[in-house]
Amino acid sequence: MSALAAVLFDMDGTLVDTEVIWWRTTEEIADGLGHHLTAADAPEVVGRAVEDTAAHLVRATGAGDPAEVAAALTALFFRQVEEGAPMRPGAQRLLAALEAEGVPFALVSASPRVVVDSVVGGSLAHVPFAFTVSADDTERTKPHPDPYRTAARRLGLPPGACVAVEDSPDGAASAEAAGCAVLVVPSLLAVPDSPPRTFAGSLEEVTPDVLRACLLP
């Protein structure tokens, strides 16, 4: 079994249950623009950067300015996350197991820095991440490979030595494009299968050995 050099965790919907909060936030902003959010909007909302969702709402409604809509989404999401974002089932146990084995792990998120810092300072305040990567820290965020390449570089590792844990199609695509092994634990959206991806129903099923098995021999 290959050595597990590091684990790169997505945040929203993977470690913390914020995807539902993000959906409610987008619903509220969409309603204000005269658009009722439905399942058809999900690919442009779940796992997407704030700017992508804002651009979608402006296209769907023909109203608003993308920058202003993005600012409104960020502000409302931040206020709701500040009220508390519970950890996903199994997340605490898995993080503790990795820490006990001395496996480094980092957070790689498509959320803005202000949101990442709020969650890491709140629900995840006890978690010893090596560092965090937000949407503000790379020129392009998910689904582009930049965030995961940046994280691997900061760890001094090739991406192929790292396992990324993701819940969304865009996040899985980002990690895969960077060259990471990918463990997918879907939340709100189904994630397509592909050879570099391993799937689990919940983090409750995941152990360090499961993560090691995701790596190519």
Side-chain angles (χ1 to χ4, degrees):
M1 189 177 291
S2 299
L4 181 61
V7 183
L8 307 175
F9 285 99
D10 172 56
M11 185 177 78
D12 299 305
T14 299
L15 287 182
V16 289
D17 198 7
T18 48
E19 290 290 24
V20 173
I21 298 174
W22 175 241
W23 183 265
R24 290 200 303 263
T25 296
T26 307
E27 272 187 321
E28 185 170 334
I29 299 299
D31 285 344
L33 294 170
H35 177 65
H36 176 65
L37 212 62
T38 70
D41 297 289
E44 302 297 336
V45 176
V46 179
R48 299 304 298 267
V50 174
E51 291 77 12
D52 294 334
T53 298
H56 169 68
L57 294 181
V58 171
R59 286 194 303 270
T61 62
D65 173 77
E68 292 178 0
V69 174
L73 284 166
T74 299
L76 181 56
F77 185 52
F78 175 76
R79 288 198 299 272
Q80 297 196 17
V81 166
E82 282 279 275
E83 295 175 5
M87 293 185 73
R88 297 284 290 171
Q92 179 58 55
R93 180 197 53 77
L94 176 57
L95 291 165
L98 291 170
E99 184 181 5
E101 292 194 13
V103 177
F105 47 86
L107 191 72
V108 182
S109 177
S111 284
R113 171 54 61 187
V114 64
V115 173
V116 170
D117 286 349
S118 175
V119 175
V120 170
S123 303
L124 301 178
H126 62 291
V127 179
F129 293 112
F131 54 82
T132 63
V133 177
S134 76
D136 301 329
D137 299 325
T138 54
E139 183 176 350
R140 303 177 301 175
T141 190
K142 304 174 188 179
H144 300 287
D146 307 34
Y148 283 104
R149 286 178 178 166
T150 296
R153 185 168 59 249
R154 288 185 62 177
L155 287 164
L157 296 168
C162 305
V163 178
V165 184
E166 275 284 355
D167 74 305
S168 71
D170 275 6
S174 172
E176 185 176 330
C180 300
V182 187
L183 175 69
V184 180
V185 185
S187 56
L188 294 183
L189 281 183
V191 178
D193 195 4
S194 78
R197 301 175 186 177
T198 302
F199 286 77
S202 163
L203 288 180
E204 292 177 302
E205 304 172 8
V206 182
T207 64
D209 280 344
V210 169
L211 292 170
R212 288 187 187 93
C214 295
L215 293 163
L216 294 175

